Amino acid sequence: MTTNFLPTSHLSNLRNRKITAGNAITLCLAMVSTSIPLVVKTKTHFDLKPAPRKTRKLQNPTLIIPGITDLGKKVVPLRNHLKDNFIAAHIWGSKRNNGPTRNGVPKLKNVFNKFYESSGEPVVLIGHSFGGLMSLFLARLYPEKVKAVILLASPCQLGFNDIATNTGFGNLFKFIQAGKKLFDQDVLRNWVGEQDRIPVLDVPIISFVSCDDKNVNGFSCEAPIGPLNRTIYINTNHSGVKNHPATKAALVFLYKNGWYAEFPDEIIKLGIVDRSHLVNHFAKTDPVIQIAQYPPQLVTERVLSIA
């Protein structure tokens, strides 16, 4: 079989001319007309269309609330990871979390109730830092609408008066207390440590504690002792816990296997440690370590719950 090639004269002419779109088309037509064999290196998986991804309904509706002064984008990596694992995770909004303001508290309730209604089933609440306290607030308001509360470095054991000595946010919360026209005073008056509340919240509280937390007393972030609650210790800092690989892997595992399932070694190795790794960076103050260890059923002082 004879193979015809593009004449050398054509190539030399093109070589001496400025390449334009028209020249390129001319060259292509010449190659086709002279039957130049074209060798194209291909790989089969490039040629075939990818198989359509199997669709699967997202489950376990979850509302994520960022920490105070944080924007919603701070928890986007966590949201995306949960959605990639077929968990219907949503962020409460893109704007900054300004805390328990008079306008913010009604909006928080509205966002939660709309999300619950659209989901048609109890919701999992995930809150980082102050967002965890807002999650507990919602759980006490609507316990029948909440499946579980997951805290990420949230000082749930602190009352309002303990903030100044057990966190790095003392000045901020003094401003909140003074700003009576801006902040919901009923919420602030009912702000006590979770272990001091009666009745005990009948919703699981799963708390992820950052062991090297310089923003809040890590011991104050432990879940109250009780049959429904669990504390998990992550070897990271206050900000890092919300998007830490161990946190994300552990959450997906708990969603699939139950809130009290034992973690496999491959997840533990990502950064889950025991309580001995927990450091109190507020040791010169009342560390509330003992308070955090009281079983809720032994608390005798009656404190009004948020209602």
Side-chain angles (χ1 to χ4, degrees), residues 64-100:
I64 306 174
I65 305 176
I68 195 165
T69 73
D70 275 353
L71 297 168
K73 66 181 182 181
K74 294 282 188 178
V75 290
V76 165
L78 175 61
R79 187 276 311 273
N80 291 347
H81 181 76
L82 294 177
K83 293 189 78 170
D84 287 343
N85 286 275
F86 305 103
I87 296 166
H90 296 265
I91 301 172
W92 81 316
S94 59
K95 294 184 179 180
R96 195 177 303 278
N97 180 356
N98 291 319

Short mmCIF file of all heavy atoms in Angstrom, two decimals, residues 64-100:
data_model
loop_
_atom_site.label_atom_id
_atom_site.label_comp_id
_atom_site.label_asym_id
_atom_site.label_seq_id
_atom_site.Cartn_x
_atom_site.Cartn_y
_atom_site.Cartn_z
N ILE A 64 -25.56 23.51 61.00
CA ILE A 64 -24.27 23.87 61.59
C ILE A 64 -24.26 25.36 61.92
O ILE A 64 -24.59 26.20 61.08
CB ILE A 64 -23.11 23.56 60.62
CG1 ILE A 64 -23.17 22.09 60.17
CG2 ILE A 64 -21.77 23.84 61.28
CD1 ILE A 64 -22.14 21.75 59.10
N ILE A 65 -23.86 25.68 63.18
CA ILE A 65 -23.83 27.07 63.63
C ILE A 65 -22.38 27.43 63.99
O ILE A 65 -21.78 26.79 64.85
CB ILE A 65 -24.73 27.27 64.85
CG1 ILE A 65 -26.16 26.80 64.53
CG2 ILE A 65 -24.73 28.73 65.29
CD1 ILE A 65 -27.12 26.88 65.71
N PRO A 66 -21.79 28.43 63.34
CA PRO A 66 -20.40 28.81 63.63
C PRO A 66 -20.28 29.53 64.96
O PRO A 66 -21.28 29.89 65.59
CB PRO A 66 -20.04 29.72 62.46
CG PRO A 66 -21.34 30.32 62.05
CD PRO A 66 -22.39 29.26 62.28
N GLY A 67 -19.03 29.77 65.39
CA GLY A 67 -18.79 30.45 66.65
C GLY A 67 -19.10 31.93 66.57
O GLY A 67 -19.33 32.49 65.48
N ILE A 68 -19.10 32.59 67.71
CA ILE A 68 -19.44 34.01 67.77
C ILE A 68 -18.40 34.82 66.99
O ILE A 68 -17.20 34.53 67.03
CB ILE A 68 -19.53 34.49 69.24
CG1 ILE A 68 -20.22 35.84 69.31
CG2 ILE A 68 -18.16 34.54 69.91
CD1 ILE A 68 -20.68 36.23 70.70
N THR A 69 -18.88 35.78 66.24
CA THR A 69 -18.14 36.66 65.32
C THR A 69 -17.66 35.93 64.07
O THR A 69 -17.07 36.56 63.19
CB THR A 69 -16.93 37.36 65.99
OG1 THR A 69 -15.88 36.42 66.21
CG2 THR A 69 -17.31 38.03 67.29
N ASP A 70 -17.90 34.64 63.95
CA ASP A 70 -17.46 33.89 62.77
C ASP A 70 -18.50 33.96 61.66
O ASP A 70 -19.71 33.98 61.91
CB ASP A 70 -17.20 32.43 63.12
CG ASP A 70 -15.81 32.21 63.69
OD1 ASP A 70 -15.02 33.16 63.67
OD2 ASP A 70 -15.52 31.09 64.15
N LEU A 71 -18.01 33.93 60.42
CA LEU A 71 -18.88 33.82 59.25
C LEU A 71 -19.18 32.36 58.96
O LEU A 71 -18.45 31.46 59.39
CB LEU A 71 -18.21 34.47 58.04
CG LEU A 71 -17.94 35.97 58.14
CD1 LEU A 71 -17.03 36.41 57.00
CD2 LEU A 71 -19.24 36.76 58.09
N GLY A 72 -20.24 32.14 58.19
CA GLY A 72 -20.60 30.78 57.83
C GLY A 72 -19.52 30.03 57.08
O GLY A 72 -19.42 28.81 57.17
N LYS A 73 -18.69 30.78 56.34
CA LYS A 73 -17.66 30.12 55.53
C LYS A 73 -16.64 29.37 56.37
O LYS A 73 -15.92 28.51 55.87
CB LYS A 73 -16.96 31.14 54.64
CG LYS A 73 -16.13 32.17 55.38
CD LYS A 73 -15.47 33.15 54.40
CE LYS A 73 -14.61 34.17 55.11
NZ LYS A 73 -13.99 35.12 54.15
N LYS A 74 -16.56 29.68 57.67
CA LYS A 74 -15.60 29.00 58.54
C LYS A 74 -15.90 27.51 58.68
O LYS A 74 -15.01 26.71 58.96
CB LYS A 74 -15.61 29.65 59.93
CG LYS A 74 -15.10 31.08 59.97
CD LYS A 74 -13.60 31.15 59.91
CE LYS A 74 -13.09 32.56 60.14
NZ LYS A 74 -11.62 32.62 60.14
N VAL A 75 -17.15 27.14 58.50
CA VAL A 75 -17.53 25.73 58.65
C VAL A 75 -17.90 25.09 57.31
O VAL A 75 -18.46 24.00 57.29
CB VAL A 75 -18.69 25.57 59.66
CG1 VAL A 75 -18.21 25.87 61.07
CG2 VAL A 75 -19.87 26.48 59.30
N VAL A 76 -17.58 25.76 56.22
CA VAL A 76 -17.86 25.19 54.89
C VAL A 76 -17.13 23.87 54.67
O VAL A 76 -17.72 22.90 54.15
CB VAL A 76 -17.53 26.21 53.78
CG1 VAL A 76 -17.46 25.53 52.41
CG2 VAL A 76 -18.57 27.31 53.75
N PRO A 77 -15.83 23.74 55.02
CA PRO A 77 -15.16 22.43 54.84
C PRO A 77 -15.85 21.30 55.57
O PRO A 77 -15.98 20.19 55.04
CB PRO A 77 -13.75 22.68 55.39
CG PRO A 77 -13.53 24.15 55.22
CD PRO A 77 -14.87 24.77 55.49
N LEU A 78 -16.34 21.56 56.78
CA LEU A 78 -17.06 20.53 57.54
C LEU A 78 -18.37 20.20 56.85
O LEU A 78 -18.71 19.02 56.68
CB LEU A 78 -17.31 21.02 58.96
CG LEU A 78 -18.18 20.10 59.84
CD1 LEU A 78 -17.51 18.75 60.01
CD2 LEU A 78 -18.43 20.75 61.20
N ARG A 79 -19.12 21.23 56.43
CA ARG A 79 -20.38 21.00 55.72
C ARG A 79 -20.17 20.15 54.47
O ARG A 79 -20.91 19.19 54.21
CB ARG A 79 -21.00 22.36 55.38
CG ARG A 79 -22.42 22.34 54.78
CD ARG A 79 -22.44 22.11 53.28
NE ARG A 79 -21.54 22.96 52.54
CZ ARG A 79 -21.85 24.18 52.09
NH1 ARG A 79 -23.02 24.71 52.33
NH2 ARG A 79 -20.95 24.86 51.37
N ASN A 80 -19.15 20.51 53.69
CA ASN A 80 -18.90 19.79 52.45
C ASN A 80 -18.53 18.34 52.71
O ASN A 80 -18.94 17.44 51.96
CB ASN A 80 -17.79 20.49 51.66
CG ASN A 80 -18.22 21.83 51.11
OD1 ASN A 80 -19.42 22.15 51.09
ND2 ASN A 80 -17.27 22.62 50.66
N HIS A 81 -17.74 18.11 53.73
CA HIS A 81 -17.33 16.73 54.06
C HIS A 81 -18.55 15.89 54.44
O HIS A 81 -18.67 14.73 54.02
CB HIS A 81 -16.32 16.74 55.20
CG HIS A 81 -15.84 15.37 55.58
ND1 HIS A 81 -14.91 14.67 54.83
CD2 HIS A 81 -16.17 14.56 56.62
CE1 HIS A 81 -14.68 13.50 55.40
NE2 HIS A 81 -15.44 13.41 56.48
N LEU A 82 -19.43 16.47 55.22
CA LEU A 82 -20.64 15.72 55.62
C LEU A 82 -21.53 15.44 54.41
O LEU A 82 -22.05 14.33 54.25
CB LEU A 82 -21.41 16.51 56.67
CG LEU A 82 -20.70 16.69 58.03
CD1 LEU A 82 -21.53 17.55 58.96
CD2 LEU A 82 -20.39 15.35 58.67
N LYS A 83 -21.68 16.42 53.53
CA LYS A 83 -22.52 16.21 52.35
C LYS A 83 -21.91 15.18 51.41
O LYS A 83 -22.63 14.40 50.77
CB LYS A 83 -22.74 17.54 51.62
CG LYS A 83 -23.58 18.53 52.40
CD LYS A 83 -23.97 19.74 51.57
CE LYS A 83 -25.11 19.41 50.64
NZ LYS A 83 -25.67 20.62 50.00
N ASP A 84 -20.58 15.16 51.31
CA ASP A 84 -19.91 14.15 50.49
C ASP A 84 -20.18 12.75 51.02
O ASP A 84 -20.03 11.76 50.28
CB ASP A 84 -18.40 14.40 50.46
CG ASP A 84 -18.03 15.61 49.60
OD1 ASP A 84 -18.88 16.05 48.80
OD2 ASP A 84 -16.91 16.12 49.74
N ASN A 85 -20.54 12.65 52.28
CA ASN A 85 -20.86 11.36 52.89
C ASN A 85 -22.36 11.19 53.10
O ASN A 85 -22.80 10.47 54.00
CB ASN A 85 -20.11 11.22 54.21
CG ASN A 85 -18.63 10.94 54.01
OD1 ASN A 85 -18.21 9.80 53.83
ND2 ASN A 85 -17.82 12.01 54.03
N PHE A 86 -23.13 11.89 52.26
CA PHE A 86 -24.58 11.74 52.18
C PHE A 86 -25.31 12.17 53.45
O PHE A 86 -26.34 11.62 53.81
CB PHE A 86 -24.94 10.30 51.81
CG PHE A 86 -24.29 9.82 50.55
CD1 PHE A 86 -23.20 8.97 50.59
CD2 PHE A 86 -24.74 10.26 49.32
CE1 PHE A 86 -22.57 8.55 49.43
CE2 PHE A 86 -24.11 9.84 48.15
CZ PHE A 86 -23.03 8.99 48.20
N ILE A 87 -24.75 13.16 54.14
CA ILE A 87 -25.41 13.75 55.30
C ILE A 87 -25.94 15.12 54.89
O ILE A 87 -25.21 15.94 54.32
CB ILE A 87 -24.43 13.88 56.48
CG1 ILE A 87 -23.99 12.47 56.93
CG2 ILE A 87 -25.06 14.64 57.65
CD1 ILE A 87 -22.79 12.47 57.85
N ALA A 88 -27.19 15.37 55.15
CA ALA A 88 -27.85 16.59 54.68
C ALA A 88 -27.47 17.77 55.59
O ALA A 88 -28.27 18.27 56.38
CB ALA A 88 -29.37 16.40 54.66
N ALA A 89 -26.24 18.22 55.45
CA ALA A 89 -25.71 19.28 56.30
C ALA A 89 -25.91 20.65 55.66
O ALA A 89 -25.68 20.83 54.46
CB ALA A 89 -24.23 19.04 56.58
N HIS A 90 -26.32 21.62 56.47
CA HIS A 90 -26.53 22.99 56.01
C HIS A 90 -25.97 23.94 57.06
O HIS A 90 -25.96 23.64 58.25
CB HIS A 90 -28.02 23.28 55.79
CG HIS A 90 -28.63 22.46 54.70
ND1 HIS A 90 -28.75 22.91 53.40
CD2 HIS A 90 -29.15 21.21 54.71
CE1 HIS A 90 -29.31 21.96 52.66
NE2 HIS A 90 -29.56 20.93 53.43
N ILE A 91 -25.51 25.10 56.61
CA ILE A 91 -25.02 26.15 57.51
C ILE A 91 -26.15 27.13 57.75
O ILE A 91 -26.91 27.45 56.83
CB ILE A 91 -23.80 26.85 56.90
CG1 ILE A 91 -22.68 25.82 56.63
CG2 ILE A 91 -23.30 27.96 57.81
CD1 ILE A 91 -21.51 26.38 55.85
N TRP A 92 -26.29 27.60 58.97
CA TRP A 92 -27.45 28.44 59.33
C TRP A 92 -27.52 29.73 58.53
O TRP A 92 -28.58 30.32 58.39
CB TRP A 92 -27.43 28.74 60.82
CG TRP A 92 -26.50 29.86 61.21
CD1 TRP A 92 -25.23 30.09 60.77
CD2 TRP A 92 -26.80 30.93 62.10
NE1 TRP A 92 -24.71 31.21 61.36
CE2 TRP A 92 -25.65 31.75 62.18
CE3 TRP A 92 -27.92 31.27 62.87
CZ2 TRP A 92 -25.59 32.90 62.97
CZ3 TRP A 92 -27.85 32.40 63.66
CH2 TRP A 92 -26.70 33.20 63.71
N GLY A 93 -26.40 30.18 57.96
CA GLY A 93 -26.39 31.38 57.14
C GLY A 93 -24.96 31.80 56.85
O GLY A 93 -24.02 31.31 57.45
N SER A 94 -24.81 32.71 55.91
CA SER A 94 -23.47 33.14 55.51
C SER A 94 -22.97 34.33 56.32
O SER A 94 -21.78 34.63 56.33
CB SER A 94 -23.46 33.51 54.03
OG SER A 94 -24.38 34.56 53.78
N LYS A 95 -23.88 35.00 57.02
CA LYS A 95 -23.50 36.22 57.74
C LYS A 95 -22.81 35.87 59.07
O LYS A 95 -22.82 34.74 59.51
CB LYS A 95 -24.72 37.10 57.97
CG LYS A 95 -25.31 37.66 56.68
CD LYS A 95 -26.45 38.60 56.96
CE LYS A 95 -27.01 39.18 55.66
NZ LYS A 95 -28.13 40.11 55.92
N ARG A 96 -22.27 36.89 59.70
CA ARG A 96 -21.53 36.73 60.94
C ARG A 96 -22.47 36.37 62.09
O ARG A 96 -23.58 36.89 62.20
CB ARG A 96 -20.78 38.02 61.26
CG ARG A 96 -19.70 37.89 62.32
CD ARG A 96 -18.98 39.21 62.50
NE ARG A 96 -18.40 39.70 61.25
CZ ARG A 96 -17.23 39.28 60.77
NH1 ARG A 96 -16.53 38.37 61.41
NH2 ARG A 96 -16.77 39.77 59.63
N ASN A 97 -22.01 35.46 62.96
CA ASN A 97 -22.77 35.12 64.15
C ASN A 97 -22.47 36.18 65.22
O ASN A 97 -21.39 36.20 65.80
CB ASN A 97 -22.36 33.74 64.65
CG ASN A 97 -23.13 33.33 65.89
OD1 ASN A 97 -23.91 34.09 66.44
ND2 ASN A 97 -22.89 32.11 66.34
N ASN A 98 -23.43 37.05 65.47
CA ASN A 98 -23.23 38.14 66.41
C ASN A 98 -23.70 37.81 67.82
O ASN A 98 -23.78 38.70 68.68
CB ASN A 98 -23.95 39.40 65.91
CG ASN A 98 -23.30 39.98 64.67
OD1 ASN A 98 -22.08 40.03 64.58
ND2 ASN A 98 -24.10 40.40 63.71
N GLY A 99 -24.02 36.55 68.07
CA GLY A 99 -24.42 36.17 69.42
C GLY A 99 -25.89 36.41 69.69
O GLY A 99 -26.70 36.61 68.78
N PRO A 100 -26.26 36.42 70.98
CA PRO A 100 -27.69 36.49 71.35
C PRO A 100 -28.26 37.90 71.29
O PRO A 100 -28.69 38.46 72.29
CB PRO A 100 -27.69 35.95 72.79
CG PRO A 100 -26.36 36.37 73.33
CD PRO A 100 -25.40 36.25 72.17
#
